[in-house]
Amino acid sequence: MSEDTYRLAVVIASTREGRFATTVAKWFAAQVAERGDVEVDVIDLAEHPLSMHLSHEPSPEDAAVLAVVAPRLERADAFVVLTPEYNHSYPAPLKNLIDRHYTQWRAKPVAFVSYGGLSGGLRAVEHLRPVFAELHAVTIRETVSIHSPWGKFDEDGGHLDEAAGQAAAGAAKVMLDQLAWWALSLREARAARPYGS
C-alpha cells in the first residue's frame, strides 16, 4: 500500500431478511473499483452477528465475532457506512457494532451511503452523525443517498436509469474524493501526534 492509498472499511448495516443492501453494496463497489487510491474491506454485519446483550465480558460467541471485526476496524483509515433507513433511523445491529468499539473510530473519517423511501435514508445519516461525533470521528458532509431504489437496479448492482445512475456516480466520486483527503490527512496526523481524548 502506497502512502497515497488508504484502507477503507465498508460497513453494510442491514441484516434484515430480503435486504436491498447487497444490491447497493454491489453498485458502490463498482464506484470504488474505478479508483486507485483505496484498499477496501467489506464488513457485512449479516455475516458477523453480535448479540444485543452488551457486556464487559462478552459471551464466547460475541468474543469470537469481535476478534474478527475489531482488528479490521482498527486497521481502517476511513469508513463508509452503507445503511437503510428504518423507522426514521438506522438499524439496531449498526448501533450495536458502534457501541462495542471506541478507539477504532477515533480521529478517522466516516462517510455514508444510504437508501430508503423518499428521504433516501438521509434521516438515518442525520442520526448517525452525532453518534460518530461522540466517538471523536469526523463525518464527511457529502453523502450518497438513493431514493426509493427498488426496481431501479439490476441484480449486479447496475443502475437501470442512466441519468440517475450518472448522478449517483457523481455523488459517490465527490464523497470519495473528500473521504480520501480526510483519510490521508488524519492518518498523517495520528502518526505525527497520537490522538488523545
Side-chain angles (χ1 to χ4, degrees), residues 47-125:
E47 296 175 1
H48 303 288
L50 288 162
S51 76
M52 298 304 285
H53 179 71
L54 290 175
S55 171
H56 291 294
E57 297 180 13
S59 68
E61 294 81 11
D62 280 351
V65 173
L66 292 168
V68 171
V69 174
R72 292 165 69 184
L73 296 175
E74 187 70 45
R75 278 193 301 271
D77 296 309
F79 305 96
V80 167
V81 174
L82 192 156
T83 185
E85 181 179 313
Y86 293 162
N87 300 318
H88 233 80
S89 195
Y90 56 92
L94 176 59
K95 186 67 162 74
N96 193 15
L97 175 79
I98 292 168
D99 288 349
R100 287 176 181 267
H101 298 89
Y102 182 63
T103 59
Q104 291 84 356
W105 310 113
R106 287 191 310 181
K108 295 180 183 179
V110 182
F112 303 100
V113 174
S114 65
Y115 64 95
L118 292 176
S119 75
L122 289 174
R123 291 175 293 204
V125 171

Side-chain angles (χ1 to χ4, degrees), residues 162-186:
E162 185 177 352
Q166 288 177 347
K173 182 184 184 312
V174 170
M175 182 191 77
L176 287 165
D177 286 348
Q178 291 183 359
L179 187 63
W181 188 91
W182 281 101
L184 297 172
S185 297
L186 288 176

Side-chain angles (χ1 to χ4, degrees), residues 6 24 27-28 30-32 34-35 80 111-114 120 122 129 140-147 153 159 162-180:
Y6 68 96
V24 178
W27 172 83
F28 185 65
Q31 310 311 305
V32 175
E34 294 184 8
R35 304 178 67 89
V80 167
F112 303 100
V113 174
S114 65
L122 289 174
R129 290 186 188 281
I140 303 303
R141 183 197 179 280
E142 299 300 329
T143 65
V144 177
S145 59
I146 302 173
H147 305 262
F153 291 80
H159 216 298
E162 185 177 352
Q166 288 177 347
K173 182 184 184 312
V174 170
M175 182 191 77
L176 287 165
D177 286 348
Q178 291 183 359
L179 187 63

